[in-house]
Amino acid sequence: KGVYGGTYRWLFEVPMTLTLLDKSAKGFNESRAESHSVLVKVQVARINDERNNDGFIIETMEFKQRSRQ
């Protein structure tokens, strides 16, 4: 968190499990699910823009596969 180049920015790192199903499956019971452990890194910045009422923008988003433990 902090000012960088005159703009407040935050970097979030979120571990998550991403589960993929075959597109023809109607649910988990009908398909072999494929799960991946990933780390999602998101950089958010505060902005002053009339087109963006929330005042925040996602500048970068990165997914990295985590090693299984």
Side-chain angles (χ1 to χ4, degrees), residues 14-53:
V14 183
M16 72 170 46
T17 301
L18 180 64
T19 302
L20 306 172
L21 298 175
D22 184 272
K23 67 179 181 178
S24 64
K26 293 187 172 101
F28 284 102
N29 296 334
E30 297 180 16
S31 175
R32 287 180 273 158
E34 186 178 313
S35 293
H36 301 274
S37 182
V38 297
L39 181 66
V40 181
K41 287 184 178 183
V42 179
Q43 182 172 307
V44 178
R46 182 87 168 101
I47 61 169
N48 252 342
D49 188 341
E50 294 175 0
R51 297 170 290 168
N52 183 338
N53 294 332

Side-chain angles (χ1 to χ4, degrees), residues 45-67:
R46 182 87 168 101
I47 61 169
N48 252 342
D49 188 341
E50 294 175 0
R51 297 170 290 168
N52 183 338
N53 294 332
D54 295 327
F56 293 94
I57 188 169
I58 295 175
E59 292 185 319
T60 62
M61 185 179 294
E62 177 182 324
F63 293 81
K64 286 189 177 181
Q65 188 163 356
R66 293 176 25 197
S67 60

